[in-house]
Every structure is written in structure tokens, then in C-alpha cells.
Amino acid sequence: MIPNQQRKRAAVIGAGPGGLAAAMLLSGQGYEVDVYEKQPAIGGRSARLELGEYKFDRGATFLMMPQLIEEMFDVVGRKLSDYVDMKELTPLYALNFGDKVFTPSRNREDTAAQIKELFPGNEENYLRYMRDEEVKFGKVMPLLRRPFGKLTDYLRKDAITALPKLDINNTVYGILSRYFTDERLRWAFTFQSKYLGMSAWDCPGTFTILSFIEHQYGLFHPVGGVNRIFQAMADVVEEYGGRIHTSTPVKQVIVRNGRAEGLLLENGERIEADHVVVNADFAHAVNHLFEPGVLKKYTPEKMKRKKYSCSTAMLYLGVDGEFDLPHHSIYFPEDYRVNVDEITKHKILSADPSLYVHNPSRLDSTLAPAGKSALYVLMPTPNLTGDIDWEAERAKVQETMLKRLEAIPELADIRGRIEECMMFTPLDWQNELDVYHGATFNMAHNLGQMMYLRPHNQFEELERVWLVGGGTHPGSGLPTIFESARISVRLIQEEDARKRTKPSSYVKTVEAGGHS
């Protein structure tokens, strides 16, 4: 362990997934770490939510590639399994297309057989898709595990060899149309674009890897909810002497002569730090945490011109009774393309919306009292750049969602069994959690906002300020958010290593190829 007087101090703004991952990696490698979180609970927009005796994940419920999380725990000498009980989901989810229900799993043969029955003639195309995407995934992943801070990063060997496989000149829907002839099956492999808050008809073809990742590596549920991952990270931070300060909003990053020197808290306290890690919502952070003129590349006017993801309306329901529904269920509208266009292009509420229902209580008894269920219901909506009066529409949208639930046979009588209910709208995402424009999935992933063109992991205009989270490279979604933390921590340690004669153990590990 580095002596206290020689330890570098890192101040992390925001205890979301990226901030906690960065804090864990830094504290486990000898840094003195303090995390400052405005909300009373950790987890950011993916925090734990409690309503009476019911417990929910507020945000992320799809957990994929837990091996990435295990790698981060390994780096700091911990085992994820000591903190979290992980259960794999089989099937992955139930995709409901009116009279057809598709329940794929990691087993390619079983999934191909189901496709043969439901969508005859497409089973071999599915197997071809999986083979092709495996090659593509191998090319794309290295680009998501390193920074793109300068244009010459595109000239590195991994970028040059990956470029022909990235499908950047096509869309997710366009790529899937090469494989599948049935429109519903195309939707089954393109809906993952919603994880990025985008339309599959606009989302760059690179992101067909999302459905591949699910089918190849599976989906998982941590007992207690996805939020338990973040609590485990917080526990490790504190085990290494780090401190997490909840209900402690940051007013400003203190900058002098182009270099961050620490933080000014809302309570007036000044915090000195060698490094500042920003995990706040990116657009909110650049608009509120820096004095005007400090960030010339990210002015309020420029941020307004950026493209942002869609938003979500949420219902968190504590319900009397148990339901024979899969862990994840998605209910597609009759015309999914119309629904998506209404959300992303026309910015209006759909008369026939899609709906996602999360039913974790069936697998996890810790989330609701015996014989009861904690149901999480999500309806994708336009973000706040649309002309929707959410105060006026709130009750109408809730009623639409409840009627949609009642149309599901297993939930026909749900209205009379609800014991706890909370509605969360795009306006709530903005006003309560500082999510810019209520864009739940952060900045969009169009070609003009990817890799080098996405906010970098370090501000070009400021020294000692590092970025993590969905608004920076490599992007939104838990796996890429965790990668942003690993990239930024590596950059911090490499910078500090240049100032010392002996690099840190984490840098050595990266250089040896163990982690990136």
C-alpha cells in the first residue's frame, strides 16, 4: 500500500455505475477516493427503489457479460461472487408478437428449432447471423476498451482491421434484413437498439452486436436486483478506505489555469483533489459544474444541438399475487416501425406503444413479501425535446400503461391487486435525477457521436478531469459504462506513472494484456 502522504487523491462526482466502478478500481490500486452523490442512495439512475415492502431497480434490469464485472473485481483483489449471487436467465426473455411468443435462449440449437417452428425458413439464417456476428464482435470489442482521444487513433491496427466489419454505413434494421425474412423476427433482433435509446432504422449497423451478446453470453439477474452490483462496488471502495458521501451535491469543479484542483460542494466545503472523475449526466455536468467559458467545446448552445436518446415512462408496482410471466417480457405493437418513428422522429406519444414488463419476484424472493410481486413496467417515450406536457399527460399515460397490462391474460385483474404504485416520467428523470432532456439512455449513438466524435474520456481543455458514464466513450449500457471507467482509470494511472519512476500494478496489468 502506498503511504498516505504519497497517495493521490481522486474525487468522483456521482455514484452511478461508472463512478462506482472507477472509484473501486482507484481505491483498490492505492488512491485515496471520495465519491460525492447528490441523491440519498447510490446507483444514479439505476439505484434501488423501495416502495413499502417492495424493492425495484429504478433503471437498468438487463445485465449481460458479468465477466467484465468479474474482471474489475479481480483487478482489486476481490471476487464478485463473494458479494453478489448471480442467476442466469433461461429463456433470455419472452417476445410477444400478438399470437406468437418467441423465447430464445443461449442454446443455439434450441433457438434455431424454435425459429423453425415460429418463423419457418429462417433457422439457418439465425445460425449464420450468430457466426457472422461472432467475428464482428471480436473486431469491435477492442475499440470499446481503449480511448479515442485523437484522430490518429483510427490509424491503429485494431481500428483499421475492424472498419470493414463495423457496418457503419448501414443500420441495425438493414443488417438484420439480410438475415431474416419475417418482420417480427427482425424486430426480435433489433429491439436492442432501444438500449441506446435509438431507432433500429437509424442506429448504426455496428450495434447488431447487442443481440449477439445476449444470445451468446446470456442475461443474468443478481439476487436483490442489478443495483446490488453497485452496492458491491461501494462496499469494496469502503473496504479500501474510500468514502462515499450521499446527499452531498457538488456545486462546481474548481479550475485554475486550465487544471482542476478539486470540488466546491453545495454546502460550501472545498475539496482538494489530484484528479476529478465526472460521472454526472454529461450534458448536465458541462452545463452546471463548470464556470461559463471553461469548456468552449461544450457550451450550452452546442449541447442543445447534440442528439439525445429517447426517454421512458415507468410504473413500479407492488402487486398482491404471483404471476406466471418470464423474468423479461416485451410486448410489441402491431406496427413497431410506426411506434419507433413516433417516439424518435415525430416526438409524440404512440396510440399503440410497446411495453416491457420485468417480473423478477418469480426468481428472487427478496424483492417482495411472500405471495406478492414487484413489477417494473417501461414504456419508451420521446425525450423532452418533444412538445408533450408531461404534467397534463401523466395520468393519461399511466392509464394507457395499465390498460396495456390488463390486455395481458396473466395480468387481466392487476388493477385491483396493486398495493404500491409509483409513476416516473421523462420530466421526473430530468427534474429529480438531472438527466438532460430526460434522455434516459444519454446521448444518442449516431455516427456523429461515436468513438472520436463522442465526448472523450478526458477533457481536452482541462487537465485532471476524467469522464465516465454513458455520455462519454464508448457509450451507454452497463458493459460500455464499465469500460469507460476502466479506460479513464487506466489513463489516470498512466499519467501518474509518467510522473513516477515505477508504474502502478494496474498499468503493468494492462500492458501485459490482462485487462484493458
Side-chain angles (χ1 to χ4, degrees), residues 7-16 18-28 30-38 42 234 236-238 240-246 248 250 262-263 265 269-279 468 492:
R7 294 174 69 192
K8 295 283 187 179
R9 186 172 187 186
V12 180
I13 304 174
L20 290 169
M24 182 180 74
L25 291 171
L26 288 167
S27 62
Y31 284 74
E32 185 178 353
V33 176
D34 284 270
V35 182
Y36 299 93
E37 169 56 51
K38 179 179 181 179
I42 65 168
V236 175
V237 170
E238 292 177 339
Y240 277 106
R243 296 166 291 272
I244 297 175
H245 312 268
T246 53
T248 308
V250 173
L263 307 177
L265 304 183
E269 184 179 356
R270 294 173 70 90
I271 306 295
E272 293 183 1
D274 298 291
H275 298 284
V276 173
V277 178
V278 179
N279 181 222
V468 299
I492 289 170

Side-chain angles (χ1 to χ4, degrees), residues 147-331:
F148 270 80
K150 51 189 183 297
L151 281 170
T152 52
D153 284 329
Y154 286 113
L155 301 178
R156 289 172 57 170
K157 183 179 179 181
D158 59 356
I160 292 172
T161 58
L163 192 60
K165 295 290 184 182
L166 295 185
D167 294 317
I168 58 175
N169 294 319
N170 205 335
T171 65
V172 167
Y173 180 83
I175 297 298
L176 269 299
S177 296
R178 295 176 183 171
Y179 294 93
F180 303 124
T181 58
D182 191 290
E183 190 73 353
R184 292 163 296 185
L185 194 55
R186 292 171 181 169
W187 297 349
F189 286 83
T190 58
F191 80 85
Q192 294 84 356
S193 300
K194 288 281 187 68
Y195 304 166
L196 307 176
M198 292 188 70
S199 162
W201 288 265
D202 296 322
C203 191
T206 306
F207 294 105
T208 52
I209 63 169
L210 292 174
S211 52
F212 165 78
I213 289 170
E214 292 176 344
H215 282 249
Q216 177 71 12
Y217 297 103
L219 294 174
F220 296 80
H221 173 76
V223 172
V226 173
N227 65 84
R228 305 318 293 170
I229 299 287
F230 316 135
Q231 184 59 56
M233 291 177 172
D235 291 344
V236 175
V237 170
E238 292 177 339
E239 288 168 15
Y240 277 106
R243 296 166 291 272
I244 297 175
H245 312 268
T246 53
S247 301
T248 308
V250 173
K251 183 175 184 179
Q252 193 174 90
V253 177
I254 300 170
V255 176
R256 183 175 298 171
N257 298 323
R259 174 181 290 185
E261 296 187 344
L263 307 177
L264 175 64
L265 304 183
E266 287 282 2
N267 62 17
E269 184 179 356
R270 294 173 70 90
I271 306 295
E272 293 183 1
D274 298 291
H275 298 284
V276 173
V277 178
V278 179
N279 181 222
D281 180 87
F282 180 78
H284 178 85
V286 297
N287 283 335
H288 293 90
L289 295 181
F290 298 88
E291 287 186 345
V294 169
L295 297 173
K296 296 180 177 60
K297 185 175 179 180
Y298 298 110
T299 64
E301 293 73 24
K302 290 179 179 178
M303 293 312 299
K304 286 179 183 177
R305 295 197 293 269
K306 299 287 187 184
K307 303 297 183 184
Y308 295 90
S309 77
C310 70
S311 189
T312 56
M314 317 290 299
L315 274 181
Y316 306 97
L317 303 174
V319 184
D320 184 20
E322 297 177 329
F323 301 97
D324 187 24
L325 289 175
H327 194 86
H328 301 299
S329 294
I330 296 173
Y331 297 86

Side-chain angles (χ1 to χ4, degrees), residues 321-460:
E322 297 177 329
F323 301 97
D324 187 24
L325 289 175
H327 194 86
H328 301 299
S329 294
I330 296 173
Y331 297 86
F332 287 86
E334 186 173 342
D335 192 324
Y336 185 48
R337 173 71 184 271
V338 168
N339 171 230
V340 170
D341 282 351
E342 287 172 339
I343 293 168
T344 60
K345 286 185 169 62
H346 309 306
K347 306 290 180 68
I348 61 174
L349 291 169
S350 292
D352 185 17
S354 58
L355 205 68
Y356 161 59
V357 180
H358 185 219
N359 180 34
S361 307
R362 188 181 182 191
L363 179 68
D364 184 350
S365 63
T366 70
L367 302 176
K372 301 184 179 185
S373 301
L375 295 181
Y376 160 123
V377 186
L378 180 155
M379 187 180 90
T381 70
N383 62 38
L384 295 177
T385 61
D387 188 23
I388 298 172
D389 183 346
W390 277 101
E391 292 292 356
E393 296 293 332
R394 182 187 188 92
K396 297 177 188 176
V397 171
Q398 178 169 329
E399 180 64 19
T400 295
M401 295 175 73
L402 287 172
K403 284 184 177 178
R404 192 88 163 85
L405 289 175
E406 288 175 317
I408 300 168
E410 293 85 354
L411 302 177
D413 62 346
I414 187 173
R415 197 183 295 255
R417 298 163 67 177
I418 296 173
E419 296 182 340
E420 298 284 351
C421 177
M422 178 179 175
M423 177 81 175
F424 214 70
T425 72
L427 193 62
D428 296 320
W429 285 115
Q430 175 181 268
N431 294 347
E432 295 191 28
L433 293 177
D434 297 326
V435 176
Y436 189 75
H437 286 326
T440 321
F441 307 98
N442 229 297
M443 291 175 62
H445 291 72
N446 55 306
L447 291 180
Q449 295 181 167
M450 285 173 58
M451 292 191 285
Y452 175 76
L453 298 176
R454 200 167 185 82
H456 302 167
N457 300 89
Q458 180 181 16
F459 276 129
E460 300 90 327

